[in-house]
Amino acid sequence: MANIIFHSNTKTFHLYNHQISYIMCVLENGHLGQLYYGKKIHDKEDFSYLVEKCGRPMTSYVFEGDRTFSLEHIRQEYPVYGSTDYRHPAVEILQENGSRISDFQYQCYEICGGKPKLNGLPATYTESDDEAMTLCVVLYDKVTQMKVELFYTIFEKGGVITRSVKLYNEGTRPVHLLTAMSLSLDLPDKEYVWMQLSGAWSRERHVKNRMLEPGIVAIDSMRGNSSHEHNPFMVLKRPNADENNGEVIGFSLIYSGNFRIQAEVDTHDVTRITAGINPAGFDWKLEPRESFQTPEAVMVYSDTGLNGMSQTFHRLYRKRLARGYWRDRPRPILNNNWEATYFDFTEDRLVEIAAKAKECGVELFVLDDGWFGERNNDQAGLGDWIANRERLPRGIKGLSERIEALGMKFGLWFEPEMTNKDSDLYRAHPDWILQTPERSASHGRYQYVLDFSRKEVVDCIYKMMYQILSESRISYIKWDMNRSITECYSAALPADRQGEVFHRYILGVYDLYERLTSAFPQVLFESCASGGGRFDPGMLYYAPQGWASDDSDAVERLKIQYGTSMCYPISSIGSHVSVTPNHQVFRNTPLHTRANVAYFGTFGYELDLNKLSEKEIGQVKEQITFMKEYRELFQFGTFYRLKSPFEGNETVWMVVSEDQNTAIVGWYRVLNGVNMSYSRVQLKGLKADTLYENTQNNTENYGDELMNLGLITTDVTSGEVVGDAVPCTDFESRIYLLKAKEQ
Ligand code: GLA
């Protein structure tokens, strides 16, 4: 049960559930101080000893005659710029007179059950008031007459605290918000390893670690999307923490645009974490009586290592961030035509691919890029969301009906935020792209970004998409976004509001998502941005799954999916079997390994099944039958990472059903060796006293055997083929299905 206590004598707030405590108090100067975030501790009226004041030379003090109270050394909740704290602030406000100083004093608080909605922004939610409690602390700066509301929600389950901030201009003059972070947290020491998920196109979300040291570490994006380069997610873990033990805190930002997550360690080893909209380039003009809502940030504390943290994120994001019809439903097995045909297809060719897929058991056929306007290659057509009649004589309506007549569902690709100069949309509205006056506009893949900060642009795209969706039989949309933003400037906004464009753009994207998902609640949305360039919690609120990467090679996917699983549920990870040689790394991996990796995701095929041999088709049919039987377990089970692809030749992970009666272990080895060592892996999450049948090697073991001495994964053929055993090769993998035996 979640609880929030306010001790009025000491002005102390204590948020707690059975796992964690989060404690703050009003400081002597009226600001809000941070006292503790960690494993649950007893409540007390007075925790003021945690305000670590100290007489230190060469600093600046708040009170005349007192050489102990300097904000520079005191842990705070929403630190301001430019007074006695020299660290990076959570908030910076520019007044008309040029001053950037503010002084936010505690005014009052409010506590309620549940969690209020964030207008226009994605956020976690509750379905009943007893799932969480929310505290709103109100602060006020009397010079700027700015009010700040700090929101903290503590969920009943897991070490979760969510935070967001609302700023109001209650004065009579406009101000500019230059920094308005969603979260600021001061931790008392720096003994943490900072872990981030970074990469590039086709190698997204690789795990990177470094020890914190005095100074600043940050990940961010200035590309207009959350980016392939850095995911809006970061973990602080104690040096002795690992997948299963030790203290870790995960920070995740529910936002899809320019973000920044930063740790600043000061000279006394206090660590300040800030997360929110990237202050670089941000400048939001707030007129009198206007307010600004920051995105939401989520913190998860775990004392059972990274797996404990990830399982909490998975549950929260699967059940209380993702929404709608598909949230709890196993995902359809799909066949996407992109790698099968690229732009080279006709209606008949598509139907041929779909028919073969249907024969194999695939449930959804997805038509990717190339179906609209004059889109014969990537240089034209974006923005003209009308079927190309040369390729699709019966339009999308006709094609979707043909696909449904095969007994499958039909899905369609869009890239709503973009246009090509060679398009009717651009010719009609050349001023609708983001472009700076007197500067040339850079392109990315020959495309330009539509100014989604303008309602009329979003309306126009909505109308085109609505038309196709309402007249055709569409069950799924892949929403792509294939370039980063440059020369960001909106022709519709005045000079002093240009610093708002990046954020307004994302609000426009969210608005279009909201309108489409409300109008077509049963359509399954999959987000995409050249693979995983916008794979973030903001997208997950609208699209319960995302194409994790354009890299569909099974070996590459081990790292991508392993990293992704740090924060994101398996049900959200778009993963398909593609052809060999693979189109990104030209590697040949066995068909079973490609499937064994793709099972741990939404599962599908990214190829023309007509091109496979009879034998391979037999395998595909078996894969689909297997996935249909176990997809609920894969997608909604409890996921454990057991061996990291970043640390060796083997990767192992597993899922366990809620009742712990069924588990599936995925074991993968990149390169084969000869005469190799014995190997075993300790499993997790099983019932110690239950006997499990292992269908892979026909053995029976108790849960405690599998968890303590481990599952034996040694090859029977390590250099020599024994009996009729099939010799292993490179890129080998196995799926172990464990079922509790009825006793
Ligand atoms: C992006 C996507 C791919 C595919 C192409 C189509 O790269 O990530 O999956 O849809 O666009 O142009």
Side-chain angles (χ1 to χ4, degrees):
M1 131 96 185
N3 209 347
I4 299 176
I5 292 180
F6 179 63
H7 296 287
S8 51
N9 284 342
T10 53
K11 293 203 179 112
T12 301
F13 296 97
H14 188 174
L15 294 74
Y16 65 87
N17 61 21
H18 68 285
Q19 268 176 277
I20 52 163
S21 284
Y22 192 95
I23 306 173
M24 309 174 274
C25 74
V26 178
L27 299 168
E28 278 166 61
N29 68 337
H31 291 197
L32 195 61
Q34 153 62 218
L35 301 181
Y36 176 73
Y37 176 38
K39 198 169 170 138
K40 187 186 177 220
I41 56 174
H42 281 96
D43 184 48
K44 285 201 320 198
E45 173 147 38
D46 190 1
F47 284 101
S48 57
Y49 71 96
L50 290 172
V51 181
E52 287 173 276
K53 293 194 292 183
C54 194
R56 296 185 192 272
M58 265 320 288
T59 190
S60 315
Y61 307 103
V62 173
F63 305 110
E64 190 84 34
D66 176 350
R67 292 183 50 165
T68 61
F69 195 94
S70 169
L71 292 174
E72 185 174 0
H73 306 302
I74 290 177
R75 285 178 289 125
Q76 300 155 66
E77 281 297 309
Y78 209 59
V80 293
Y81 167 80
S83 42
T84 61
D85 191 345
Y86 299 99
R87 294 168 290 180
H88 281 243
V91 59
E92 184 177 354
I93 296 167
L94 176 65
Q95 286 175 247
E96 265 187 335
N97 67 5
S99 161
R100 292 164 187 238
I101 305 300
S102 36
D103 178 17
F104 283 106
Q105 302 272 332
Y106 170 76
Q107 269 206 323
C108 57
Y109 74 94
E110 215 176 290
I111 293 171
C112 66
K115 182 168 186 293
K117 271 188 90 145
L118 266 67
N119 270 347
L121 281 167
T124 56
Y125 58 90
T126 50
E127 288 194 337
S128 68
D129 280 358
D130 53 10
E131 285 180 10
M133 302 265 303
T134 298
L135 165 71
C136 170
V137 182
V138 182
L139 311 174
Y140 188 72
D141 175 43
K142 60 177 191 287
V143 175
T144 53
Q145 293 174 281
M146 286 286 298
K147 183 171 92 176
V148 165
E149 289 178 350
L150 305 179
F151 288 90
Y152 299 82
T153 298
I154 178 161
F155 278 79
E156 183 197 6
K157 291 201 189 103
V160 184
I161 304 256
T162 68
R163 295 182 53 177
S164 71
V165 180
K166 202 162 176 186
L167 300 106
Y168 298 81
N169 184 351
E170 296 194 336
T172 51
R173 314 296 314 159
V175 297
H176 284 257
L177 301 179
L178 303 180
T179 302
M181 302 309 272
S182 303
L183 162 157
S184 181
L185 176 69
D186 288 349
L187 294 163
D189 66 86
K190 70 161 181 58
E191 293 313 306
Y192 292 102
V193 174
W194 157 292
M195 192 185 93
Q196 68 194 53
L197 302 178
S198 293
W201 172 80
S202 269
R203 67 173 160 78
E204 297 90 340
R205 294 175 299 285
H206 281 206
V207 173
K208 308 275 176 194
N209 290 295
R210 70 184 106 166
M211 226 20 232
L212 283 185
E213 289 295 347
I216 289 173
V217 184
I219 45 170
D220 75 352
S221 168
M222 297 202 284
R223 297 172 168 265
N225 51 17
S226 50
S227 88
H228 298 91
E229 283 67 19
H230 302 297
N231 198 261
F233 172 73
M234 180 276 283
V235 181
L236 292 185
K237 51 179 185 171
R238 292 298 188 186
N240 65 355
D242 58 25
E243 283 289 358
N244 303 303
N245 306 292
E247 274 194 319
V248 303
I249 310 176
F251 299 87
S252 166
L253 188 69
I254 304 180
Y255 191 56
S256 311
N258 289 352
F259 75 94
R260 189 169 175 87
I261 299 181
Q262 176 171 299
E264 178 173 5
V265 179
D266 71 17
T267 47
H268 304 108
D269 292 344
V270 170
T271 302
R272 169 168 295 170
I273 305 300
T274 45
I277 293 176
N278 197 341
F282 176 76
D283 177 347
W284 191 279
K285 185 175 183 188
L286 209 56
E287 294 282 0
R289 288 179 301 286
E290 281 182 353
S291 64
F292 181 82
Q293 171 69 62
T294 73
E296 176 167 296
V298 181
M299 308 189 283
V300 169
Y301 171 87
S302 154
D303 65 348
T304 53
L306 293 168
N307 272 322
M309 172 203 72
S310 299
Q311 287 161 7
T312 302
F313 271 116
H314 291 185
R315 257 193 318 272
L316 181 72
Y317 281 4
R318 192 159 61 70
K319 299 289 256 181
R320 294 294 180 265
L321 176 63
R323 301 174 298 167
Y325 181 83
W326 284 100
R327 188 187 77 177
D328 301 326
R329 286 186 159 77
R331 304 302 158 70
I333 295 173
L334 67 81
N335 188 177
N336 179 303
N337 77 309
W338 179 241
E339 288 195 13
T341 65
Y342 295 104
F343 292 107
D344 183 18
F345 60 82
T346 59
E347 183 181 307
D348 286 344
R349 173 94 201 278
L350 296 174
V351 174
E352 235 171 75
I353 297 174
K356 188 70 182 174
K358 168 66 190 169
E359 181 200 318
C360 295
V362 170
E363 299 155 311
L364 167 72
F365 175 75
V366 178
L367 170 54
D368 210 280
D369 196 354
W371 58 266
F372 48 90
E374 293 303 310
R375 186 77 167 167
N376 299 314
N377 52 43
D378 63 7
Q379 303 184 14
L382 287 172
D384 298 342
W385 301 110
I386 298 163
N388 178 319
R389 291 278 167 168
E390 269 163 48
R391 279 188 187 174
L392 305 173
R394 277 163 275 218
I396 290 299
K397 181 172 184 303
L399 174 64
S400 64
E401 284 165 1
R402 275 185 84 183
I403 301 293
E404 287 218 340
L406 295 172
M408 300 174 95
K409 298 286 182 198
F410 176 74
L412 194 59
W413 180 96
F414 283 94
E415 195 175 356
E417 300 150 68
M418 301 291 158
T419 190
N420 292 108
K421 286 199 170 167
D422 186 0
S423 71
D424 292 342
L425 182 84
Y426 180 80
R427 281 183 281 272
H429 301 285
D431 67 320
W432 275 13
I433 63 169
L434 293 169
Q435 178 178 18
T436 301
E438 298 168 62
R439 305 272 172 207
S440 63
S442 316
H443 76 99
R445 208 194 186 196
Y446 304 99
Q447 62 194 54
Y448 297 84
V449 186
L450 288 171
D451 183 355
F452 264 43
S453 75
R454 294 168 72 166
K455 187 165 175 305
E456 68 272 30
V457 177
V458 177
D459 287 348
C460 168
I461 301 297
Y462 175 71
K463 246 171 95 182
M464 284 192 264
M465 292 179 77
Y466 183 90
Q467 177 71 23
I468 295 232
L469 277 152
S470 46
E471 73 189 14
S472 318
R473 306 191 64 81
I474 296 175
S475 305
Y476 161 107
I477 285 184
K478 178 175 171 187
W479 177 322
D480 213 337
M481 196 274 184
N482 281 317
R483 67 159 291 191
S484 308
I485 296 175
T486 52
E487 294 91 25
C488 185
Y489 187 99
S490 170
L493 286 172
D496 62 353
R497 286 197 177 271
Q498 293 300 329
E500 301 175 15
V501 181
F502 272 117
H503 183 56
R504 287 187 184 275
Y505 173 86
I506 283 295
L507 294 179
V509 172
Y510 290 153
D511 176 36
L512 184 58
Y513 254 119
E514 187 66 45
R515 288 200 237 171
L516 287 167
T517 50
S518 313
F520 302 98
Q522 293 199 0
V523 171
L524 172 61
F525 282 75
E526 176 153 347
S527 71
C528 177
S530 294
R534 204 164 59 182
F535 196 104
D536 59 56
M539 286 292 117
L540 207 50
Y541 183 70
Y542 305 98
Q545 57 191 62
W547 183 225
S549 177
D550 274 349
D551 196 333
S552 58
D553 172 71
V555 174
E556 295 299 304
R557 276 294 185 127
L558 290 173
K559 287 185 175 163
I560 294 168
Q561 293 179 206
Y562 191 94
T564 305
S565 78
M566 286 290 166
C567 179
Y568 303 97
I570 302 307
S571 57
S572 72
I573 302 178
S575 51
H576 301 165
V577 173
S578 61
V579 288
T580 51
N582 171 267
H583 288 192
Q584 292 77 42
V585 293
F586 314 103
R587 185 181 282 135
N588 286 301
T589 53
L591 182 55
H592 68 269
T593 291
R594 284 174 266 154
N596 290 348
V597 176
Y599 290 142
F600 288 83
T602 58
F603 200 70
Y605 292 82
E606 189 93 6
L607 47 77
D608 180 353
L609 289 162
N610 291 298
K611 299 200 167 147
L612 266 52
S613 68
E614 272 303 296
K615 193 172 158 220
E616 287 172 319
I617 287 296
Q619 266 183 281
V620 167
K621 286 181 180 167
E622 279 171 25
Q623 291 167 357
I624 293 175
T625 307
F626 174 72
M627 187 59 181
K628 282 184 181 164
E629 191 168 347
Y630 293 104
R631 60 183 148 183
E632 257 138 319
L633 172 56
F634 280 117
Q635 292 166 0
F636 307 135
T638 307
F639 181 79
Y640 292 87
R641 288 173 301 270
L642 305 176
K643 269 194 180 188
S644 166
F646 298 100
E647 286 164 18
N649 196 33
E650 278 181 16
T651 302
V652 190
W653 53 43
M654 71 185 288
V655 279
V656 184
S657 64
E658 209 179 311
D659 62 10
Q660 298 167 288
N661 283 335
T662 319
I664 297 178
V665 180
W667 173 92
Y668 314 86
R669 184 179 56 210
V670 179
L671 291 183
N672 197 11
V674 69
N675 214 352
M676 293 173 82
S677 317
Y678 294 100
S679 75
R680 56 176 69 175
V681 55
Q682 291 176 325
L683 304 188
K684 294 282 161 198
L686 303 175
K687 289 189 284 195
D689 300 330
T690 296
L691 193 61
Y692 291 88
E693 222 181 324
N694 181 338
T695 56
Q696 207 273 342
N697 54 12
N698 298 318
T699 53
E700 286 181 3
N701 298 98
Y702 281 100
D704 57 5
E705 288 178 76
L706 293 165
M707 292 191 292
N708 297 323
L709 65 83
L711 170 76
I712 306 294
T713 56
T714 313
D715 275 357
V716 274
T717 68
S718 192
E720 194 180 1
V721 180
V722 180
D724 55 4
V726 182
C728 293
T729 59
D730 288 343
F731 320 126
E732 186 51 284
S733 69
R734 287 173 220 143
I735 289 287
Y736 297 87
L737 172 63
L738 304 170
K739 286 184 172 175
K741 277 196 77 165
E742 293 195 9
Q743 286 160 35

